[in-house]
Amino acid sequence: AKSAGGNRFELADPEADARAITRHGLTTALPTALDRGEFFIEYQPLVHLGDGSVRGAEALVRWLHPQHGVLSPDRFIPLAEHTGLIVPLGRWVLEQSVRQAREWRDRHGGAEALGPLRINVNLSPCQLTHPGLVQDTVDILERTGVAPEALCLEVTESALIGADDDLLKPLRRLAEMGVDIALDDFGTGYSNLANLRRLPVSVLKLDRSFTQSMQQFPADPVDLKIVEGIVSLAHSLDLAVTVEGVETGAQAEQLRLLGCDTAQGWYYARPGPPERLHELALADTTA
Ligand code: C2E
Ligand code: CA
Ligand code: CA
Ligand code: CA
């Protein structure tokens, strides 16, 4: 950054400098981090709002950087998208997560007591345009013996706004195979609600901002109406509604009353190691 030259808009910003240096360092270290085995995945339970049972988990990637410690995806996913590493990284996350789902299934002895735990994996827009997506997914499911119905791929609403048929084609093929597609961060992208019918999605993930506004009691009446409207539209289109960022019992109760199906958030559990999800799911059946 420039040093202060009498212009208050050019004051040196040591924090911005530090951020830029770190960003540069991370970008340099990123391409080899996958080979060095520095990424790991945490799992956050998805809980049925009606009966409180654990139905699955969302896979959330982290980078254990040798100097900076554990980095959150917001720090490196944009860099990975920019450098193209997101394609192999995304494939790695998908394979690890599906393998994990298989392991939970096996450890649960056929999953009869639990019902199959589903696994949600985030897809970056760059992966959507990558020609290998469908084949990679098919290969991973075949290698692991996991049913397509146990997998849900999350795509942000903004990635699909104005999406043409070329972009939707791979998602359609996956949906036809039985893979669920979820629209992530829903409600922030100002997409045309009628447009939903065109998209091969079966789940709406309501953005955390709606959950946050359910914290006040009574909740903001306009937000209540919006969520009510989204839920009834979603259900009329046969879409399930998942809410994220649930931090309190009051939020969970409000969202349950509004008809939301599944919830995720710190109120239930923070993202954690796979053993933790296993314990939560088991505790649930013995409770
Ligand atoms: P997201 O897909 O919207 O994931 C939800 C984020 O909310 C996660 O942040 C999660 O840890 C956080 N969260 C969960 N419950 C609560 C809560 O009760 N309160 C609050 N305040 N936050 C909660 P995280 O793990 O830092 O991930 C951030 C974003 O990084 C994700 O947002 C997703 O867009 C992206 N991401 C994570 N893993 C992957 C991945 O494997 N591939 C891609 N392409 N993106 C990923
Ligand atoms: Ca997500
Ligand atoms: Ca989200
Ligand atoms: Ca988000």
Side-chain angles (χ1 to χ4, degrees):
K2 290 172 188 155
S3 54
N7 183 336
R8 65 193 185 92
F9 295 109
E10 290 183 352
L11 284 176
D13 180 350
E15 266 184 40
D17 282 351
R19 276 198 303 273
I21 292 164
T22 315
R23 190 158 53 238
H24 176 75
L26 293 183
T27 309
T28 316
L30 196 57
T32 47
L34 191 55
D35 293 333
R36 285 196 305 265
E38 291 173 1
F39 294 106
F40 67 100
I41 301 172
E42 289 192 319
Y43 299 87
Q44 186 177 36
L46 289 152
V47 176
H48 189 257
L49 272 167
D51 63 14
S53 63
V54 175
R55 296 296 173 95
E58 178 175 6
L60 296 158
V61 68
R62 279 91 179 81
W63 179 6
L64 179 56
H65 188 284
Q67 278 95 48
H68 304 293
V70 176
L71 299 178
S72 81
D74 291 331
R75 297 277 306 276
F76 62 86
I77 290 287
L79 301 177
E81 287 174 335
H82 194 69
T83 56
L85 186 79
I86 192 68
V87 170
L89 175 60
R91 198 189 295 127
W92 179 82
V93 171
L94 183 63
E95 171 130 28
Q96 290 295 117
S97 308
V98 171
R99 279 190 188 288
Q100 190 56 62
R102 166 70 199 241
E103 199 191 309
W104 286 326
R105 195 186 78 188
D106 291 349
R107 282 174 67 185
H108 291 154
E112 252 173 65
L114 284 165
L117 288 176
R118 313 184 71 250
I119 185 75
N120 284 38
V121 179
N122 291 286
L123 273 195
S124 145
C126 313
Q127 290 173 272
L128 272 186
T129 50
H130 183 79
L133 175 67
V134 175
Q135 194 56 50
D136 286 346
T137 309
V138 170
D139 289 347
I140 290 170
L141 290 171
E142 277 179 359
R143 269 204 297 280
T144 52
V146 167
E149 288 75 16
L151 175 65
C152 177
L153 296 174
E154 301 192 359
V155 185
T156 59
E157 182 190 17
S158 56
L160 292 188
I161 285 182
D164 59 14
D165 267 354
D166 283 346
L167 195 76
L168 295 179
K169 212 182 268 171
L171 288 183
R172 281 215 182 90
R173 288 204 35 213
L174 291 163
E176 280 159 17
M177 282 165 45
V179 173
D180 270 324
I181 310 293
L183 215 46
D184 205 352
D185 301 346
F186 187 79
T188 56
Y190 307 101
S191 69
N192 182 349
L193 289 181
N195 211 9
L196 276 177
R197 290 170 59 187
R198 213 170 64 83
L199 303 175
V201 298
S202 44
V203 180
L204 291 188
K205 283 194 90 170
L206 210 56
D207 190 68
R208 186 158 77 228
S209 51
F210 293 106
T211 310
Q212 273 164 350
S213 76
M214 299 298 142
Q215 183 47 37
Q216 304 106 270
F217 190 84
D220 180 76
V222 176
D223 281 333
L224 280 177
K225 283 280 171 223
I226 292 175
V227 174
E228 223 172 14
I230 291 176
V231 171
S232 83
L233 177 91
H235 286 167
S236 73
L237 293 171
D238 259 339
L239 306 176
V241 179
T242 299
V243 288
E244 53 182 21
V246 176
E247 295 179 0
T248 67
Q251 288 171 329
E253 181 57 8
Q254 185 71 262
L255 290 157
R256 188 185 66 81
L257 290 171
L258 285 165
C260 300
D261 304 290
T262 312
Q264 184 182 351
W266 298 344
Y267 173 61
Y268 303 100
R270 302 228 172 197
E275 301 75 44
R276 178 92 185 103
L277 196 275
H278 178 77
E279 285 159 16
L280 287 168
L282 275 186
D284 193 53
T285 57
T286 52

